[in-house]
Amino acid sequence: MTEQARTRVAIIGGGPGGYAAAFMANDLGLDVTLIDVEKNPGGVCLYRGCIPSKAFLHVARILTEAREAAYWGIAFDEPKVDLNRLRESKDEVVKRMTGGLGQLCKSRKIKYIQGRASFEDSRTLSIIHDDGATERLETDYTILATGSRPTPLSELFLESPRMMDSTAALQMEDIPRNLLVVGGGYIGLELGTVYAAMGSKVTIVEKESTLLPGADPDLVEVLHKRLEPFVERILLNTSVASIKEARGGLAVTLEGKEAENKPAQFDRVLVCIGRRPNSSGVGLKNTRVSLTDGGLVEVDAQRRTKDPYIYAIGDLTGEPMLAHKASHEGRVAAESIAGQRTAFEPNAIPAVVFTDPEVAWCGLMEKEAEAKGIEVKVARFPWAASGRAATLNRPEGLTKLITDPDTEQILGVGIAGTGAGELISEGVLAVEMGATAYDVGFTIHPHPTLGETIMETADLIFGHAAHVHQSRPEPREAAGKE
Ligand code: NAD
């Protein structure tokens, strides 16, 4: 041990949960030490997740739009992809963002320690640096924000450089001719979209009966229909029985409803079947923190664990494992440590799958309402009726609102369509503010925009959207019924 120091709040993990907590605690006047193994904060989101994958999805979008420009009479030659430059650009984006966070720590005078921390006891951390040196840090409180890692490839999957998890897929060593994606969730569909746009023949296998099993089927259908011609195959109710090295590739035998009996050959296999919390290896046994069977940290509404000196936020505390949920929890934990009355109790946490088209939703969705027996009124606005969607030649989208049938309060919003990830914020605000369909329908939205679809869906709750005709009884017929 070379040194011993004290801090009011230590934060282990510099991802969007950890750094948001650090910045908030600092803004509230607390002395903060942020600890992460990387040179700068950023976490999986910036180094190996959201940011690099969105950079690649941006490129995928350019490639797809160039191909689809033929609709407007514009033709380009087949694109040439310089993989080295592509990787460099992606790395530059990551470096710029993580470097910026490092700067923000400095300007806020937050102490940033590069190292691996673990608990010696509830209020003492041991931090091992890259060079093996160890320091001890006494803390009043610690916020644990160590995130998650890809579910490991089970024993079924052999060790092979042709096998990839999301981290390896983002290295983009090559563009495989044939790529098998195991798991039709967020990562499988986003990275499958990237590789398909780059020219890989992508096969997606999903063990459930639908892609994105958690989302409403009508939203998923919009994506599924558009994906079908882009990818080689989408096999539902299907999983992997075995994978063997074969000459120049991997021989994969699939099992399930849509599987063929004989093995199929792939250059690479990308496995994305969920993520596991990083709750081991941080010395939690030396604290009073308790874990669920799945290794999630149990927390209360303030994100306090069973140990009064330790808070936990982000993927560690369970689904949804989303960066923005972690950031919000981080702010709540910091406020709680600063003695404020606070709680993590959002009405809506937006989910966005950044495919093409994007699928986004928030609040109570139809599937969940059905499962819980909650009566709702649902309105759907097809983008075929949107002028803006027509000008983009993207009429396949759908906007839906889930409302309380008695009060017309908006309980949930779902959007599948180009730009849905940007549009959903209006829905989140509506749900959080307790807006009614009348509030949203009577709010003037700019024309022509895709945002108008939210206004028109709200109008549909009352049966009078301008661009969708809903048949209603003829006046005489209606009068006769009175
Ligand atoms: P996921 O839970 O989204 O999807 C995993 C999918 O794999 C599920 O549909 C599941 O049914 C399927 N599956 C599981 N075992 C299988 C098997 N043996 N064969 C075939 N299919 C199988 O998980 P993910 O895609 O790995 O992503 C992990 C987490 O990362 C997500 O929960 C999400 O919270 C987060 N994430 C978010 C974003 C975003 O916000 N846009 C992007 C990427 C990741």
Side-chain angles (χ1 to χ4, degrees):
M1 298 284 173
T2 52
E3 211 181 304
Q4 182 156 331
R6 270 200 70 76
T7 190
R8 177 98 169 108
V9 188
I11 295 162
I12 309 179
Y19 76 72
F23 293 175
M24 180 55 112
N26 173 266
D27 289 346
L28 293 170
L30 303 175
D31 162 59
V32 179
T33 303
L34 179 60
I35 309 153
D36 194 287
V37 290
E38 298 283 352
K39 184 167 167 249
N40 282 308
V44 169
C45 172
L46 273 91
Y47 284 100
R48 295 174 294 281
C50 321
I51 296 299
S53 65
K54 263 77 258 176
F56 281 161
L57 279 158
H58 169 66
V59 172
R61 179 73 182 261
I62 294 172
L63 292 168
T64 308
E65 289 204 337
R67 285 179 193 123
E68 295 188 342
Y71 174 81
W72 304 103
I74 312 290
F76 296 99
D77 286 341
E78 265 305 297
K80 290 191 189 74
V81 179
D82 176 347
L83 267 190
N84 284 330
R85 181 60 208 145
L86 178 62
R87 281 189 295 258
E88 271 168 28
S89 302
K90 180 256 304 178
D91 291 344
E92 274 169 30
V93 171
V94 171
K95 204 168 161 196
R96 206 180 310 143
M97 301 300 299
T98 53
L101 288 172
Q103 257 337 102
L104 281 171
C105 284
K106 279 195 189 107
S107 51
R108 283 182 149 97
K109 299 198 172 32
I110 289 172
K111 187 171 183 209
Y112 184 79
I113 300 178
Q114 185 179 5
R116 190 169 291 280
S118 64
F119 288 96
E120 285 186 12
D121 60 47
S122 300
R123 302 178 77 176
T124 312
L125 298 178
S126 158
I127 303 165
I128 304 174
H129 297 265
D130 266 359
D131 60 5
T134 308
E135 70 177 293
R136 190 178 271 153
L137 184 63
E138 302 288 336
T139 69
D140 288 343
Y141 293 99
T142 298
I143 301 177
L144 196 56
T146 48
S148 64
R149 62 192 184 286
T151 299
L153 320 179
S154 78
E155 61 277 10
L156 184 71
F157 301 125
L158 60 158
E159 288 279 323
S160 160
R162 294 180 182 279
M163 299 286 299
M164 303 190 289
D165 59 15
S166 55
T167 306
L170 289 168
Q171 297 303 321
M172 198 166 283
E173 272 180 33
D174 56 18
I175 309 289
R177 260 178 310 123
N178 289 293
L179 172 68
L180 175 67
V181 174
V182 185
Y186 282 76
I187 299 180
L189 296 179
E190 290 185 2
L191 291 179
T193 299
V194 168
Y195 276 94
M198 296 285 188
S200 294
K201 288 185 173 172
V202 174
T203 296
I204 300 169
V205 296
E206 165 55 53
K207 75 174 166 58
E208 301 294 333
S209 58
T210 171
L211 297 174
L212 295 175
D216 274 2
D218 50 358
L219 299 174
V220 178
E221 195 188 339
V222 174
L223 173 63
H224 193 128
K225 270 195 186 148
R226 166 121 171 138
L227 274 180
E228 262 176 339
F230 277 88
V231 298
E232 194 67 5
R233 278 179 309 169
I234 299 172
L235 303 174
L236 302 175
N237 301 299
T238 303
S239 191
V240 174
S242 75
I243 303 183
K244 295 197 172 77
E245 288 279 3
R247 203 181 320 166
L250 296 169
V252 182
T253 306
L254 300 174
E255 63 185 0
K257 264 194 189 162
E258 300 183 27
E260 286 168 10
N261 281 335
K262 56 180 190 332
Q265 177 101 356
F266 295 95
D267 298 321
R268 283 183 180 271
V269 173
L270 165 60
V271 181
C272 20
I273 53 172
R275 296 183 67 87
R276 298 267 169 86
N278 289 330
S279 52
S280 58
V282 278
L284 291 185
K285 61 180 186 314
N286 303 325
T287 71
R288 285 157 60 188
V289 171
S290 69
L291 301 179
T292 66
D293 290 345
L296 298 171
V297 179
E298 290 183 317
V299 288
D300 65 14
Q302 284 69 39
R303 283 1 202 184
R304 201 184 292 107
T305 66
K306 292 274 160 44
D307 189 314
Y309 301 113
I310 302 173
Y311 287 68
I313 58 171
D315 291 6
L316 269 182
T317 64
E319 296 285 347
M321 291 190 177
L322 298 171
H324 43 273
K325 176 228 173 206
S327 303
H328 195 79
E329 288 178 298
R331 294 168 59 116
V332 169
E335 285 172 349
S336 172
I337 291 171
Q340 295 191 356
R341 260 173 68 89
T342 183
F344 181 77
E345 44 192 21
N347 291 321
I349 301 174
V352 180
V353 189
F354 291 89
T355 39
D356 180 19
E358 293 170 352
V359 183
W361 64 93
C362 69
L364 179 71
M365 295 310 292
E366 211 175 347
K367 199 170 179 170
E368 188 188 342
E370 251 170 53
K372 291 181 174 166
I374 302 171
E375 205 188 322
V376 290
K377 182 168 181 184
V378 180
R380 293 179 180 75
F381 182 85
W383 286 22
S386 155
R388 187 66 182 128
T391 63
L392 298 169
N393 190 30
R394 297 300 301 267
E396 75 276 4
L398 173 75
T399 300
K400 68 190 280 192
L401 291 188
I402 291 90
T403 60
D404 181 310
D406 298 324
T407 63
E408 281 97 29
Q409 185 180 336
I410 298 173
L411 305 174
V413 180
I415 308 175
T418 188
E422 302 291 336
L423 296 171
I424 196 65
S425 293
E426 179 178 352
V428 185
L429 189 64
V431 176
E432 277 296 343
M433 301 294 289
T436 63
Y438 181 83
D439 293 327
V440 172
F442 218 67
T443 298
I444 299 175
H445 286 59
H447 177 74
T449 61
L450 296 171
E452 282 173 300
T453 67
I454 301 175
M455 176 185 73
E456 293 223 38
T457 317
D459 286 341
L460 277 173
I461 292 284
F462 305 103
H464 59 67
H467 297 98
V468 175
H469 175 69
Q470 286 183 312
S471 56
R472 64 187 77 220
E474 292 298 322
R476 241 182 322 129
E477 202 185 316
K481 278 187 187 156
E482 271 171 13

